[in-house]
């Protein structure tokens, strides 16, 4: 890694990957107070896969991580457009693609951190404009 920005991006990628790798009940518990649209999650995940390319080139991830990220990207591309609508909490249990993505995310974490069991990301508070 050669940039502070790379370290921050790597952290963001790993946090999102931890959410993807979590057991389904943990994912659903995390989503309980959030209404994330599946389309938005897919968009973020596609961005994560693109970012991982550059991070790997700069040494922030091992080549085997990139293979897993590329496999995640391919699997995302196979998700039918109709399955990208609605809440992600519903899609997690209805679409088997998310189980396969969970396994691939676990591979990333095993390679990068030695264990796929990682804390889930803390919620981001919406910006209200107040100081």
């Amino acid at each position: 890694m050669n940039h502070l920005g790379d370290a921050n991006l790597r952290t963001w990628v790993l946090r999102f990957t931890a959410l993807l790798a979590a057991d389904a009940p943990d994912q659903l518990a995390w989503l309980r107070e959030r209404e994330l649209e599946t389309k938005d999650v897919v968009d973020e995940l596609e961005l994560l896969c693109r970012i991982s390319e550059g991070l790997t080139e700069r040494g922030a991830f091992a080549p085997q991580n990139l293979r897993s990220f590329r496999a995640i990207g391919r699997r995302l591309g196979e998700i039918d457009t109709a399955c990208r609508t609605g809440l992600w909490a519903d899609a997690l249990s209805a679409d088997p693609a998310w189980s396969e993505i969970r396994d691939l995310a676990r591979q990333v974490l095993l390679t990068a951190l030695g264990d796929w069991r990682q804390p889930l990301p803390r919620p981001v508070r919406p910006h209200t404009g107040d100081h």
Side-chain angles (χ1 to χ4, degrees):
M1 265 185 290
N2 57 5
H3 301 122
L4 181 59
D6 283 355
N8 288 333
L9 283 174
R10 184 178 190 275
T11 298
W12 173 77
V13 167
L14 291 173
R15 285 181 182 156
F16 195 76
T17 303
L19 177 59
L20 293 170
D23 290 324
D26 294 332
Q27 290 172 324
L28 293 172
W30 189 88
L31 288 166
R32 192 171 296 131
E33 296 180 18
R34 298 163 185 85
E35 292 189 359
L36 293 178
E37 293 288 327
T38 303
K39 179 197 173 305
D40 295 335
V41 173
V42 169
D43 289 347
E44 287 291 314
L45 189 49
E46 288 173 337
L47 175 62
L48 177 143
C49 290
R50 287 192 305 273
I51 288 172
S52 70
E53 295 269 345
L55 288 173
T56 302
E57 288 173 9
R58 294 188 298 278
F61 285 112
Q64 56 266 44
N65 289 123
L66 184 56
R67 285 191 288 278
S68 294
F69 283 123
R70 286 179 175 161
I72 289 170
R74 282 190 301 274
R75 190 61 185 104
L76 282 174
E78 296 169 357
I79 295 176
D80 187 283
T81 305
C83 294
R84 294 180 183 214
T85 61
L87 295 178
W88 188 41
D90 297 333
L92 280 172
S93 57
D95 190 338
W98 293 107
S99 179
E100 294 169 33
I101 290 169
R102 181 179 300 112
D103 292 339
L104 292 166
R106 288 177 179 182
Q107 278 303 123
V108 168
L109 294 173
L110 282 170
T111 302
L113 302 174
D115 191 354
W116 68 264
R117 291 170 198 83
Q118 300 296 317
L120 296 183
R122 289 186 309 241
V124 175
R125 302 279 182 231
H127 180 67
T128 62
D130 297 332
H131 291 89

